């Protein structure tokens, strides 16, 4: 049976450092970091995660606000809001929740002042990141690396397979893993014979957005499996990995929920503090 990777514990350890950094920022410069979370009320918006972020902010001493907008919001209306937040002195970071299909997250992210781009998705920050900068790195990727390293594994020379190549997850995490000297393969929906790749992985990162994408027979014995997926199935949240099958084969696996989610939230808030330090 696999060991459980406890995302809540990893998140809690990170919170202690962030709390210290915030106290320092307040004492030295009188700054309270501020985060604005933009949520469009659509099936993609994930208001409950925004509320979870708000609770985390409160615990840490970050001033947060959720800006809840109708699903029909236009790009022009969003641009106007972001312009206002860009010049608000008490907002140091802007987080945009997944948008409905008529809006492009990539395009909207370019409207955020790069110094407030706590998602790390502005092309300036993404470009700097690819050149090795550590300022405002993509937060989901950072969370995944933290979770993997919490197992005590040394990533150097490890064979890592990532299932998914999105801007938010697959691509940034692949680059962070390369920086750690892992050997990285990225798979996607057009990959032929996915199992042939996943079975070779010492570490398998799955961010496909579909339940049961990875079954037990697709995993190498003793692997670390990081399930990034969050899918609503009935009233339950499940990952992309068939947990019951994979826990029998893998050495380490996080639960869903309670794995990647709590750590990525904390990494987002860490970016808010880094952003506030620069403003
Ligand atoms: P996305 O933009 O939909 O990307 C999914 C990726 O998976 C795409 O690259 C797609 O390939 C690939 N894919 C889909 N089905 C596949 C299959 N059967 N075999 C191989 N590759 C497949 O999703 P995302 O934003 O990266 O999110 C992925 C999952 O992670 C979602 O469940 C999301 O809710 C979750 N998530 C969790 C957190 C967290 O903090 N816990 C944060 C972000 C996302 P193509 O490129 O060829 O289409």
């Amino acid at each position: 049976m696999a060991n459980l990777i406890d995302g809540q514990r990893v998140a809690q350890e990170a919170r202690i450092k962030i709390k210290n950094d915030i106290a320092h920022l307040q004492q030295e410069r009188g700054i309270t970091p501020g985060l604005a979370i933009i949520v469009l009320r659509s099936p993609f918006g994930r208001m409950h995660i925004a509320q979870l972020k708000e609770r985390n902010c409160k615990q840490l001493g970050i001033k947060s606000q959720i800006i809840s907008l109708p699903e029909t919001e236009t790009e022009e209306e969003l641009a106007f809001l972001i312009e206002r937040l860009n010049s608000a002195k008490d907002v140091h970071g802007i987080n945009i929740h997944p948008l409905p299909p008529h809006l492009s997250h990539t395009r909207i992210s370019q409207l955020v002042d790069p110094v407030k781009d706590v998602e790390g998705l502005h092309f300036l920050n993404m470009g700097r990141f690819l050149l090795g900068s550590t300022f405002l790195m993509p937060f989901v990727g950072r969370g995944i690396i933290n979770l993997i390293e919490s197992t005590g594994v040394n990533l150097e020379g490890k064979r890592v397979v990532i299932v998914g190549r999105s801007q938010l997850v697959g691509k940034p995490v692949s680059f962070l893993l390369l920086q750690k000297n892992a050997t990285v393969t990225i798979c996607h929906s057009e990959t032929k014979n996915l199992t042939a790749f996943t079975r070779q992985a010492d570490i398998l990162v799955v961010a496909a957005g579909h339940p049961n994408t990875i079954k037990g027979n697709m995993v190498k014995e003793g692997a670390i499996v990081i399930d990034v997926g969050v899918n609503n199935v009935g009233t339950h949240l499940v990952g992309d990995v068939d947990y019951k099958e994979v826990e029998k084969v893998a050495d380490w696996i996080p639960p869903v929920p309670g794995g990647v989610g709590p750590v990525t939230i904390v990494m987002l808030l860490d970016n808010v503090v880094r952003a506030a330090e620069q403003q």
Side-chain angles (χ1 to χ4, degrees):
M1 274 309 189
N3 299 292
L4 204 67
I5 307 179
D6 185 350
Q8 299 289 4
R9 185 183 57 77
V10 178
Q12 187 50 31
E13 281 167 13
R15 274 190 209 104
I16 293 167
K17 184 183 173 303
I18 297 171
K19 216 168 174 168
N20 280 339
D21 290 349
I22 292 172
H24 201 252
L25 205 53
Q26 281 166 334
Q27 278 158 18
E28 302 284 307
R29 295 179 49 202
I31 294 173
T32 298
L35 171 67
I37 307 168
I38 301 174
V39 184
L40 265 61
R41 294 185 298 273
S42 83
F44 304 91
R46 306 220 155 145
M47 179 57 87
H48 64 288
I49 305 227
Q51 286 161 344
L52 212 62
K53 287 175 183 169
E54 205 171 35
R55 277 211 293 280
N56 271 261
C57 282
K58 210 168 185 176
Q59 277 174 11
L60 290 172
I62 293 172
K63 199 176 138 208
S64 68
Q65 51 176 311
I66 296 175
I67 302 169
S68 167
L69 301 168
E71 180 171 5
T72 50
E73 192 79 353
T74 62
E75 188 165 331
E76 290 69 33
E77 287 165 328
L78 265 181
F80 187 70
L81 168 68
I82 291 171
E83 207 178 301
R84 182 169 67 73
L85 295 172
N86 280 343
S87 46
K89 290 266 178 290
D90 58 345
V91 173
H92 301 95
I94 301 170
N95 176 211
I96 305 164
H97 269 221
L99 296 167
H102 71 280
L103 295 166
S104 155
H105 200 130
T106 305
R107 219 172 43 233
I108 303 283
S109 299
Q110 308 317 313
L111 305 172
V112 175
D113 183 336
V115 84
K116 299 191 178 188
D117 166 41
V118 289
E119 298 175 358
L121 293 179
H122 190 285
F123 65 78
L124 259 180
N125 289 322
M126 188 59 88
R128 286 183 188 132
F129 166 63
L130 292 176
L131 293 173
S133 161
T134 56
F135 179 57
L136 300 186
M137 294 193 290
F139 65 101
V140 182
R142 287 187 62 199
I144 293 168
I145 298 292
N146 269 16
L147 219 55
I148 296 172
E149 291 190 331
S150 76
T151 67
V153 74
N154 177 3
L155 278 160
E156 207 158 300
K158 290 291 179 302
R159 185 175 285 219
V160 185
V161 174
I162 302 165
V163 181
R165 57 175 163 181
S166 68
Q167 316 279 23
L168 186 65
V169 189
K171 283 180 189 161
V173 79
S174 68
F175 190 71
L176 286 168
L177 287 159
L178 271 180
Q179 284 178 329
K180 297 271 178 187
N181 293 329
T183 301
V184 182
T185 302
I186 308 176
C187 301
H188 46 78
S189 65
E190 301 297 326
T191 298
K192 304 279 180 269
N193 195 358
L194 182 64
T195 304
F197 292 94
T198 58
R199 278 192 67 85
Q200 288 181 32
D202 303 315
I203 299 163
L204 179 61
V205 177
V206 189
H210 303 292
N212 294 326
T213 304
I214 300 296
K215 307 288 287 180
N217 65 355
M218 298 172 78
V219 174
K220 177 171 146 180
E221 188 100 20
I224 298 172
V225 178
I226 304 294
D227 189 354
V228 187
V230 182
N231 308 290
N232 289 302
V233 174
T235 55
H236 293 280
L237 281 184
V238 298
D240 292 346
V241 169
D242 184 330
Y243 187 91
K244 280 210 167 96
E245 285 193 9
V246 172
E247 73 167 344
K248 292 182 192 141
V249 188
D251 244 13
W252 290 93
I253 186 168
V256 178
V260 175
V263 193
T264 58
I265 290 178
V266 171
M267 289 300 110
L268 172 72
L269 303 187
D270 186 59
N271 273 356
V272 177
V273 179
R274 301 302 137 231
E277 284 169 353
Q278 295 294 315
Q279 287 171 52

